[in-house]
Amino acid sequence: MPDRKLDRVTTIFLRWISAIIIAVIGWALIEITSGYLSVLHCAGFVLKEGPVNWIINTFVMLSLLFVISIFIRTEWKADVVFLSLCFLWATVNDYVTALHGSPFSFADLRNIGTAINVLDGYRLGIDSFLALDILIFAAGLFYVLRFVRRRAQRPPFSVKATVLGLCVIIAGYYACFFMPQAIRPMQQTGSTIHTNGYPISLVDMTYNTFYRIHKPDNYDKDYVLALEASLEQDSAAETDTVKQKPDIILILNESFFDLRRTSYVQTDRDPFDAISDMKDVFTGWCVIPSIGGGTNQSEYELLTGNSLYLIPQDTPFNLLDMTGATSIVSVLERYGYHTTAMHPKTHINYQRGKQYAAMGFDKSYFINDFSNLYGIGDSTGASDASVYENLLRWYRADIQQEDVPQFVYCLTYQNHGGFGQRAAEYDTIHAIGDYDFADEFDEYLTGIDYSIQAFSSLIRELDKSDRPVIVCMMGDHCPYLINYNQISLEDRDLVVRSVPILWWSNADYTFDDFDTVSINYVSSILFSKIGFTDLSPMFRYQQSLISRAPVITTYGYYYNARGDKLPYGDDGPEASAVRDYFSLEYNNITRKATD
């Protein structure tokens, strides 16, 4: 009898050891393809994650293996299914990372149509990460078939064992992620994927997919309603100081970024040197929500003035109904503007066709509406120059049809990627040094050069007009080529989110007030410069807040006028004003979400 009991303990022990080995193999499969620059890069970060993260990541994978085992009662078969699922997941991870610079989350399921429609810019195959995963997957299968299969098959789960196991899993997730003093509390995932590990971050991203609008701390609805009423009274009492209603062209330029700011990329020529030759161009920095991807995040903040700090989800157009939402469109249409949106890709990408119309744009143009699009050199696609040619054609036609002020929003696509696909002879700027993405850097830098040339040509054409015009162009995010973890700057979070912003006007407007502002303020800056005062409470509030807190981030900090980086929980007067802004935003979004 003692021997039988000992054998049973030994069997259970071996099964647990085997399950841990399988869980770790599964973790390795999906971690490798979650956006690292190389296998050594991945190994280095996993080592830095530390024992606590190792244990939690393994626990997440074990919980998945346990659930599979409930339905597949034979141990080795459950292991094979688990490893196959992890390998499939790793493959999806690899391709999703190639498409938009960040690994898979369940929010991406809403963007399957978008992914399919951007595949034409990539050459997907088996890269070094996927090749290594194939070897690991094969080794895992060999282990299961050679060693696990030889042992006695796992007996069917009893109801008691199943319930006990599920209780352990629920308690583990609560302790790790959800309790007040959780080990790894839920937060917005940004640079934490490599810091904590992909399984932990996947739990985080999944949580944020379903719990998407965060109520600000100390939110008081009565206080916010009183604040809104006060702001509306101020707007009603103040007379517009509008001298003229200029045409406004707002350009969100794909991956428009200065690589040199990262401190580890040097170039043989300044890709921005042509800006100094442009007349009446003001430059600065615009802080966007995310790193290496997330165009729809920047687009949402730019058009609505809302910060995504309250919405930790990477595609707000898939989350929110934009019908009648407060935005730059709603304000300008109140002032008699004709409004147009354009993007040289399909209307189904992030539901832009639906959401542009819902916001109130009078016209929206997508890929099938454009003509004579061409790429750079021997590449296909939609260069900024060819997009602006279409923009000018539509803009001039609208002026002829009705003599009202025009607002044009243009989202470009030229520098989206993938890079390294044009012939090197077309590169005009080159990275100096030994980089993991040398050819890709050269192609990307050349794209920036072409973007600035196209911008210069656009404003030269507009300068021929006798109509007052304002043009504002900024990037939507840094390119996915950025190695965030090689940046040694003290405030790298801000640097990698700071994209160039260019302002131009042929009228009497200047835009040198702020060196650095977050993208959610751009509309308010335009309203202030033109003299519009008939604004929603939130835009009205922004105009007083921007001088006190010019940068609002999505990662828990704001920057005051002195450039100090401060947490939102700070006791200072600026922090209190920022929290009021979030309360106004929350009231606006949730009211819209429930209307």
Side-chain angles (χ1 to χ4, degrees):
M1 191 73 175
D3 290 340
R4 186 176 299 176
K5 185 178 293 187
L6 182 62
D7 289 342
R8 184 181 178 187
V9 171
T10 302
T11 300
I12 294 173
F13 175 76
L14 290 175
R15 284 176 180 167
W16 274 107
I17 292 298
S18 179
I20 291 172
I21 292 172
I22 295 299
V24 170
I25 292 173
W27 173 25
L29 286 169
I30 60 175
E31 187 73 36
I32 287 170
T33 58
S34 63
Y36 293 95
L37 296 178
S38 66
V39 175
L40 289 177
H41 186 225
C42 175
F45 268 91
V46 171
L47 288 174
K48 290 179 182 178
E49 287 169 10
V52 173
N53 285 334
W54 299 341
I55 293 170
I56 297 176
N57 282 307
T58 303
F59 166 74
V60 171
M61 303 308 293
L62 273 172
S63 66
L64 176 60
L65 177 57
F66 178 82
V67 172
I68 291 173
S69 299
I70 292 175
F71 298 98
I72 302 177
R73 307 294 184 85
T74 304
E75 182 180 2
W76 71 269
K77 290 181 181 179
D79 291 346
V80 169
V81 170
F82 172 79
L83 290 175
S84 300
L85 178 62
C86 289
F87 178 70
L88 176 62
W89 199 306
T91 303
V92 171
N93 238 9
D94 196 46
Y95 292 150
V96 169
T97 301
L99 286 172
H100 65 74
S102 59
F104 173 81
S105 70
F106 286 108
D108 292 314
L109 293 175
R110 300 188 182 98
N111 306 324
I112 290 176
T114 302
I116 292 172
N117 280 282
V118 300
L119 278 172
D120 59 354
Y122 293 83
R123 297 169 186 169
L124 300 178
I126 298 177
D127 57 18
S128 58
F129 301 106
L130 206 50
L132 178 60
D133 264 3
I134 292 172
L135 293 177
I136 294 175
F137 178 55
L141 290 180
F142 175 80
Y143 168 77
V144 172
L145 298 176
R146 178 69 176 82
F147 298 102
V148 179
R149 191 178 182 184
R150 294 177 59 185
R151 295 203 307 270
Q153 293 185 340
R154 179 180 299 170
F157 271 92
S158 66
V159 174
K160 181 178 179 180
T162 301
V163 171
L164 178 62
L166 291 175
C167 288
V168 170
I169 289 174
I170 293 171
Y173 274 86
Y174 181 71
C176 291
F177 303 112
F178 300 109
M179 65 184 294
Q181 300 298 323
I183 302 172
R184 290 291 178 266
M186 295 293 92
Q187 57 189 347
Q188 181 178 352
T189 301
S191 59
T192 61
I193 291 177
H194 295 167
T195 303
N196 292 331
Y198 178 70
I200 290 176
S201 296
L202 181 65
V203 175
D204 186 11
M205 290 185 288
T206 303
Y207 173 84
N208 286 325
T209 298
F210 297 101
Y211 294 84
R212 293 162 293 198
I213 302 176
H214 292 173
K215 181 182 290 187
D217 294 337
N218 303 318
Y219 172 78
D220 184 331
K221 187 171 184 177
D222 291 338
Y223 170 79
V224 177
L225 291 175
L227 179 59
E228 285 183 340
S230 173
L231 291 165
E232 287 171 346
Q233 287 179 356
D234 290 343
S235 290
E238 187 170 340
T239 304
D240 280 343
T241 58
V242 181
K243 298 178 181 178
Q244 56 188 352
K245 294 180 182 178
D247 296 337
I248 300 171
I249 298 177
L250 196 57
I251 302 171
L252 191 60
N253 193 302
E254 180 75 40
S255 299
F256 187 65
F257 184 79
D258 189 349
L259 283 175
R260 300 166 306 161
R261 293 203 82 199
T262 62
S263 75
Y264 74 95
V265 177
Q266 303 297 320
T267 60
D268 60 357
R269 180 167 71 82
D270 181 357
F272 294 88
D273 59 3
I275 294 176
S276 60
D277 297 328
M278 300 181 196
K279 180 183 177 183
D280 299 322
V281 172
F282 298 89
T283 63
W285 301 102
C286 188
V287 179
I288 45 84
S290 59
I291 301 171
T295 298
N296 193 231
Q297 293 186 33
S298 298
E299 181 174 35
Y300 175 80
E301 289 204 358
L302 173 64
L303 294 175
T304 67
N306 293 330
S307 168
L308 282 169
Y309 175 69
L310 300 181
I311 312 173
Q313 206 259 16
D314 62 359
T315 51
F317 277 11
N318 287 340
L319 163 65
L320 301 171
D321 178 6
M322 303 301 294
T323 304
T326 300
S327 69
I328 186 173
V329 183
S330 64
V331 171
L332 293 180
E333 290 200 326
R334 192 181 308 148
Y335 279 92
Y337 277 73
H338 179 269
T339 57
T340 303
M342 61 186 66
H343 177 48
K345 295 299 289 185
T346 176
H347 67 285
I348 68 172
N349 285 10
Y350 303 116
Q351 302 188 63
R352 288 192 176 100
K354 170 188 173 182
Q355 299 290 29
Y356 288 167
M359 294 176 73
F361 278 104
D362 296 315
K363 292 182 180 179
S364 297
Y365 297 109
F366 296 98
I367 184 64
N368 292 333
D369 303 309
F370 285 76
S371 61
N372 301 319
L373 291 176
Y374 52 85
I376 298 173
D378 60 350
S379 66
T380 59
S383 66
D384 288 355
S386 65
V387 170
Y388 298 160
E389 288 166 9
N390 282 267
L391 183 157
L392 287 169
R393 175 168 56 85
W394 289 322
Y395 168 68
R396 288 164 177 161
D398 285 337
I399 291 172
Q400 291 178 353
Q401 289 177 8
E402 46 184 329
D403 187 18
V404 298
Q406 303 289 321
F407 169 60
V408 179
Y409 166 65
C410 177
L411 174 61
T412 73
Y413 194 74
Q414 172 185 288
N415 298 318
H416 182 278
F419 303 113
Q421 298 183 23
R422 286 196 304 265
E425 63 187 271
Y426 295 104
D427 293 337
T428 59
I429 301 180
H430 306 84
I432 300 174
D434 184 17
Y435 302 103
D436 294 307
F437 294 113
D439 293 339
E440 288 85 349
F441 275 145
D442 291 349
E443 185 167 309
Y444 173 75
L445 290 163
T446 297
I448 296 300
D449 187 21
Y450 274 80
S451 289
I452 292 172
Q453 292 179 37
F455 179 80
S456 178
S457 296
L458 174 65
I459 62 175
R460 283 200 303 271
E461 287 296 314
L462 292 169
D463 200 26
K464 298 175 183 178
S465 171
D466 58 358
R467 295 174 64 91
V469 184
I470 296 174
V471 181
C472 175
M473 182 178 80
M474 73 227 76
D476 64 339
H477 54 71
C478 64
Y480 65 80
L481 303 173
I482 286 292
N483 184 348
Y484 173 87
N485 299 291
Q486 282 187 5
I487 300 172
S488 58
L489 301 176
E490 181 178 351
D491 199 358
R492 60 182 177 178
D493 282 309
L494 182 66
V495 169
V496 296
R497 289 176 172 85
S498 297
V499 297
I501 183 169
L502 310 181
W503 302 86
W504 174 86
S505 178
N506 61 354
D508 187 23
Y509 299 106
T510 58
F511 296 90
D512 55 356
D513 306 57
F514 298 96
D515 176 69
T516 303
V517 296
S518 47
I519 194 170
N520 59 302
Y521 284 127
V522 169
S523 295
S524 288
I525 293 173
L526 284 166
F527 300 151
S528 177
K529 294 294 182 182
I530 298 170
F532 293 154
T533 61
D534 185 10
L535 307 174
S536 69
M538 195 185 66
F539 280 132
R540 179 81 180 181
Y541 189 81
Q542 278 189 342
Q543 293 190 332
S544 63
L545 180 63
I546 188 172
S547 61
R548 305 173 66 187
V551 175
I552 303 290
T553 76
T554 56
Y555 54 93
Y557 293 89
Y558 72 95
Y559 290 77
N560 62 20
R562 298 179 298 278
D564 301 322
K565 178 182 179 181
L566 300 166
Y568 290 140
D570 185 58
D571 294 330
E574 293 101 343
S576 177
V578 170
R579 287 194 290 271
D580 281 351
Y581 160 69
F582 284 134
S583 292
L584 286 167
E585 177 184 329
Y586 178 79
N587 224 39
N588 190 35
I589 296 173
T590 54
R591 179 192 298 124
K592 185 67 202 68
T594 55
D595 281 349

